[in-house]
Every structure is written in C-alpha cells, then in structure tokens.
Amino acid sequence: IVLGAAFAYLLMANSALRDDLEKFERRLDGFSAFLKKETEKHREPEREAEAPPVAPPKPEPAKPEAPKLAAAKIETPVPSRSIPVREHVPIEREPSPVDKGIELARQWLTTGNVPVKIGIIVSFFGVSFLLKYAIDKEILVFPIWLRYLLVAAAGTGLAILGWRLREKRPTYGISLQGGGIGIVYLTIFAAYRLHPMLSAPVAFGLMVAVTIAVGALAVMQEARGLAILGVVGGFLAPLLASTGTGNHVTLFSYYLILNCAVLGIAWQRAWRSLNIIGFAFTFIVGSLWGMEYYRPELFASTEPFLVAHFLFYTVIAILFAFRQPPDLRGVVDGTLVIGTPVIAFALQAMLLEDNQDGLAISAAVVAAFYALTAFWLHQTQGKEMRLLVQSFLALGVAFATIAIPLALDDRGTSVAWAVEGAALVWIGVRQNGLLAKLTGAALAFASGVMFIDYGWRSDMGMPILNGNVLGGVLISAAALFSSRLLATDERKARMQPLASVALLAWGMGWWLGTGTLEITDRLWSGNEVHALNVFFALSFAALAWRANRVGWRP
C-alpha cells in the first residue's frame, strides 16, 4: 500500500508540475500578446502627430457604367444534362446502454489523474483480499483484533491524508479519502461478520457514522467522485467479506444504511451517477440473493426490505427532479422512475410466487401509491413537476391495469377496464394529455371485446340484476361518458371527433345489444317483439331528451 501510494503520488506530482508549467507558459504568451497590443496602441497617436497633413483628394466625376452584357453572357452557366446522383447520408445510431456504460468507464479510466485512480482501486482490492487471505490462512501472528485495528487505522490515515490534501491536490486528496473510507467500511463489516468481535448494534452504529461522514465530506467538497468511491466501497464490502451463508437480514440492513446515505446526498445534490450506482447494487444483489437463497418461509423477513428500498428510490427520483437548476427543474430520471417499480414488482412476484391474490393486492397498493403521489405533486408543485406527475400517473394506471386481471375473472376484468378507460379519458381531457385520451378510448373498446369473448351466460341468476346486464350497462355507460367528454373537449386533437363518434356508436351498441339479449333470452317469452319495441323507443327517447338538454348534436 505504502509503495503504491508513494508511486502514485510521485506520478501525480510530476503530472501536476507539467500542468502548472503549461499553464504558466500559456499565461506568459497571453501576457506578451497583451503587452504588444498595448504598445501598438500607444505608438499610433505618436505616428499620427509626426505625419505631415495631407489634403483630401478631389472627388472624380462619376463615369457611366459600361454595359456588362458580354461578361454576363460569359458568366451564364450552361445547363447540365447530367442526372443528379442522390447522396446517401449515413444515419447515426443511438448507442445502447451497454455501449454508454463502457464509454463512461473508458473515459473515467483514461482521463484525469489515471495513476491515482488505478492505484486506489488496486490498493482497495488488495487490502480486501489480503484481509480475507490473512484470516483464512492465519499468516499474521498477532491477534485478530489487532489486525483489524491496524487495517482500520490505515484506512483512516488515508482518509485524513486525503482531507489535508483537498486544497493543494484536490483529485488525489478525494481519491485517498474515498479509498480510505472504503477500507474502513470493509473492516467494520468483516469484524462483525467474520469474527464475533463487534456486536450488531456496535457494527451498525459504526457503519452509520462512517456513512454520515462520507456523505458530509462529499457534500462539503462538492466531490461527486468521493461519494461514488465511498458508496461503491460500502456496497462491495459485504460481497468481498461474504462467507456464503446468505444471511439476508444483515446484508439488507447494511444496504439500507448505505441507501440512507444515498438519500441524504440526494437531498442536497442532484448526482445521478451516485443514485444509479446505489440502485444497481441494491436491486442486482437483491435479485441474485433471491434466486439463490429465497424460500417462502423467509417472506416476513424479506418483504420489509423490498418495500423500504422501493420507497427510498422513489423518493430519490423525486428529489432528483427537485434539485435540478431552475431552467431544468422537473427533469425526470427515467431509469429510477420506471426501473424502480418494474424491478421491485418483479421481485415481489418472485417472493409471492403462486399467491395471485397477494400479487393483485400489491399491484393495487402500488397503483394507489403512484396516484396519490401524482396528486400531491400536482397540488403542491403545479406545472414545474408536470412530467413527473404524468409519469407517476401513467405508472398508477399501468399497475391498476395489472391488478384487475389478477384479482378478477375475465368478466370482471373487462368491466373494470371499461371504468378505468373512462377515468383515463377524463384525466386526459382535464390535463390535455393525448396519450391518456387514446389509452382510455382503447380500453373502452378492449373491455367490450373481452366481455364478448367471455360469452353470454343464461344462468346468471335474477332477471336484469345479473352479471350480463350489469356488465353490459357499465361498458355502455363508460363508452358514452368518454364520447361525451371527447366531444366537448375544447382542445381537440385531430382524430378526436372521430373517436368520439366511434365511442358513441360503441356505447349505444352495447346498451341496445344487452337489452335485446336479456329480453329475448330471459324475459317475456312470446312477446319479444313488443318488449323490444318498447325498449328501443324508450332508449331513443331518453337519448334524444338528454342530447337536447346538453346540446350534444351527434
């Protein structure tokens, strides 16, 4: 460690001296140019004073312009008979997320103070594996508690040295602080996990203290790199010191503390890279643990951690939008906003396995959470958080759509989708959201198709008050409600009048079709024609009366 740090420091000092020399040369060149320019300015008045007076030249009479016909004839381009060749412009493809990640890693490793970065990384991993090797092979002869103290002291010394160098050598100092803090993280976790030298309260208390320290140092120095190094070291500590027993309560409690630090930093700074690192470590490690060690009897001790991390990164996504500069306030981090519920719900499905009712309840709770959060943001922040409100609203609708088929059969699902479609159209009209209007209209048609596919059942209980009639009436009412909203919307889209007429026809078709099937199948045997005449007459009379009152021409 000492040789590596010394070598890295010498390389850094050499690089810094070269940079200082180049800056000095550039400043010297600029100062020389400035002096030369000022000297020329002072010489110009002296030259003007020494020069003899010159009489202004007499203006010559204007000569008539000679005709330029010949020149025009010569310069006239001869029309070309060649056929123009169409040029093929290459279309640049958007790089994939993997390519972007590789490019970011390459830039980080090949720019700035490269020897320092490599030295810190190698030193950190060297200490990690040296500690584990020394514990396994018992190479060191002095007591284990002294070994841990020495390693912790070395990490603390690196952090203190980095703090003292923060002004003279900022990059080197921040790198040393991050590496030292990562070593301290690893030592605390190993002292608790591998040997019973620290009790759980003491170990977690020390981790909380170190976590608070690294967050405070990063925020005080505006050092995103320090925060990243400290957090990465913290997340790697349990993986490097793991014994393979799969103790999830210890692991996820520790990750919860680290995510508290990420949340605290997000409260002050919009550092997206730090948020993404914490998100990736938390959910990737959680997924790997679940595939390897999870059993149904562990649900009670695993579910609280999943819910807590879901809430953490939802709040971090909101804070990221709040902490943007004034001209960018409200910008949404799509990775956290969309990725958090998708991955968390996938893990929830893995925890619940065949418990479909529990998964339906989970989807409904998530839908209600996003709907309430969107409502709160809309009421408190207004237009500034419009994009985040729309994102949360879309997520709420998506999870409500998922919850319906999980909780109901095909018939109940189709009816619920009809009601949900009408609600979406209402929201779209209120907020002028074209996507919400289109989605709501599509759900209105999809609900009817699913209800038809399920089939008309003759054994549905009481006449009129049965699932056939109630389902058909709700689908019809939802379609007519949506049609009316689209027809009266002042900010109509291009295809909106056509969609309104289609929904009107769809709603009337369901109303008349439901009544016709109920009359012919269940009621008034032998008098179907008379009953149908009365039903159609009353239906059209009621519709005409309603249309006249509200001025609904279609």
Side-chain angles (χ1 to χ4, degrees):
I1 297 172
V2 174
L3 290 175
F7 181 67
Y9 181 79
L10 289 175
L11 288 176
M12 179 277 304
N14 186 31
S15 176
L17 287 173
R18 192 185 304 112
D19 292 342
D20 292 342
L21 183 60
E22 291 176 357
K23 290 179 183 177
F24 179 75
E25 289 175 350
R26 285 197 297 269
R27 290 178 182 175
L28 188 61
D29 292 342
F31 186 66
S32 300
F34 174 76
L35 285 178
K36 185 177 180 181
K37 186 177 179 181
E38 290 296 321
T39 305
E40 291 294 331
K41 285 183 180 178
H42 287 293
R43 285 180 181 176
E44 284 178 3
E46 295 176 2
R47 291 173 184 169
E48 290 176 0
E50 293 174 359
V54 180
K58 296 180 181 180
E60 298 181 1
K63 298 179 181 179
E65 277 193 27
K68 297 183 180 179
L69 259 173
K73 287 181 181 179
I74 294 172
E75 293 173 2
T76 303
V78 180
S80 175
R81 296 184 180 180
S82 60
I83 300 173
V85 180
R86 180 179 297 174
E87 295 183 0
H88 296 279
V89 180
I91 301 174
E92 295 183 1
R93 292 190 307 166
E94 182 72 17
S96 65
V98 177
D99 295 336
K100 290 181 180 178
I102 294 173
E103 179 62 22
L104 286 174
R106 187 192 67 78
Q107 289 179 1
W108 187 82
L109 283 172
T110 57
T111 58
N113 212 327
V114 178
V116 173
K117 295 178 180 178
I118 296 176
I120 292 298
I121 293 172
V122 172
S123 299
F124 177 75
F125 280 99
V127 170
S128 304
F129 289 111
L130 179 63
L131 176 62
K132 186 170 178 58
Y133 185 78
I135 292 172
D136 293 340
K137 301 297 182 180
E138 298 183 356
I139 295 174
L140 301 176
V141 294
F142 41 82
I144 293 177
W145 61 267
L146 185 56
R147 304 174 199 171
Y148 279 109
L149 282 179
L150 290 174
V151 175
T156 305
L158 285 177
I160 293 173
L161 179 61
W163 172 257
R164 293 192 172 184
L165 292 173
R166 68 186 184 279
E167 294 180 357
K168 295 181 180 179
R169 299 286 183 265
T171 303
Y172 186 66
I174 288 171
S175 300
L176 286 179
Q177 291 176 56
I181 289 168
I183 291 171
V184 173
Y185 266 128
L186 174 64
T187 307
I188 296 172
F189 190 86
Y192 162 67
R193 190 73 183 83
L194 298 180
H195 296 88
M197 290 186 295
L198 293 177
S199 63
V202 173
F204 283 113
L206 290 173
M207 289 178 186
V208 169
V210 175
T211 300
I212 294 173
V214 68
L217 288 173
V219 173
M220 286 167 57
Q221 300 174 82
E222 292 283 343
R224 185 183 310 184
L226 172 61
I228 291 173
L229 284 171
V231 170
V232 169
F235 276 108
L236 284 176
L239 305 181
L240 297 173
S242 174
T243 59
T245 57
N247 189 341
H248 64 290
V249 175
T250 302
L251 175 66
F252 294 144
S253 298
Y254 173 72
Y255 273 15
L256 201 61
I257 294 172
L258 288 178
N259 283 317
C260 285
V262 177
L263 179 62
I265 294 172
W267 191 275
Q268 298 292 331
R269 299 286 184 270
W271 289 345
R272 184 173 184 268
S273 53
L274 185 68
N275 300 339
I276 297 299
I277 288 171
F279 171 79
F281 267 108
T282 300
F283 286 103
I284 290 175
V285 173
S287 302
L288 294 175
W289 175 88
M291 290 186 288
E292 182 71 21
Y293 296 105
Y294 179 73
R295 301 183 304 277
E297 55 267 26
L298 299 178
F299 177 80
S301 58
T302 306
E303 177 72 4
F305 292 109
L306 178 59
V307 173
H309 287 119
F310 165 75
L311 294 175
F312 264 53
Y313 280 96
T314 302
V315 173
I316 288 172
I318 296 174
L319 289 175
F320 179 80
F322 272 74
R323 294 292 175 262
Q324 294 297 317
D327 54 336
L328 296 176
R329 197 165 187 266
V331 170
V332 171
D333 183 354
T335 303
L336 294 184
V337 171
I338 305 299
T340 299
V342 169
I343 296 177
F345 193 74
L347 292 175
Q348 180 76 348
M350 183 174 67
L351 297 184
L352 293 171
E353 289 191 30
D354 297 329
N355 189 351
Q356 188 168 336
D357 293 338
L359 199 58
I361 293 172
S362 301
V365 170
V366 173
F369 168 76
Y370 276 116
L372 291 174
T373 306
F375 177 76
W376 170 73
L377 287 171
H378 178 69
Q379 292 294 321
T380 57
Q381 301 300 319
K383 294 182 179 180
E384 283 190 344
M385 295 295 158
R386 181 178 179 182
L387 185 57
L388 192 60
V389 169
Q390 291 177 345
S391 301
F392 281 174
L393 195 59
L395 286 169
V397 171
F399 279 99
T401 307
I402 293 171
I404 289 169
L406 290 172
L408 305 174
D409 60 8
D410 293 344
R411 186 183 297 271
T413 299
S414 60
V415 174
W417 277 1
V419 176
E420 183 183 355
L424 269 179
V425 172
W426 178 77
I427 291 172
V429 171
R430 288 289 302 271
Q431 298 186 355
N432 193 26
L434 180 60
L435 181 60
K437 297 175 189 176
L438 294 177
T439 306
L443 276 176
F445 289 107
S447 64
V449 172
M450 178 176 283
F451 200 88
I452 292 172
D453 185 63
Y454 190 76
W456 183 272
R457 292 175 56 182
S458 301
D459 56 342
M460 287 300 292
M462 297 175 60
I464 301 177
L465 299 177
N466 56 70
N468 292 329
V469 175
L470 294 179
V473 168
L474 282 174
I475 293 173
S476 171
L480 292 174
F481 178 75
S482 302
S483 174
R484 174 64 181 163
L485 285 174
L486 294 178
T488 56
D489 185 13
E490 296 179 356
R491 297 166 292 189
K492 290 185 177 68
R494 182 177 299 177
M495 300 297 292
Q496 199 164 312
L498 181 61
S500 175
V501 173
L503 284 170
L504 172 61
W506 185 250
M508 283 308 302
W510 269 97
W511 172 262
L512 298 175
T514 300
T516 300
L517 287 174
E518 183 70 6
I519 288 171
T520 56
D521 189 44
R522 306 284 300 275
L523 304 172
W524 295 294
S525 178
N527 295 303
E528 291 90 348
V529 175
H530 304 298
L532 287 173
N533 279 333
V534 173
F535 170 67
F536 272 71
L538 291 177
S539 298
F540 285 121
L543 190 67
W545 172 79
R546 181 61 183 166
N548 187 50
R549 283 184 61 87
V550 299
W552 191 4
R553 184 178 177 185

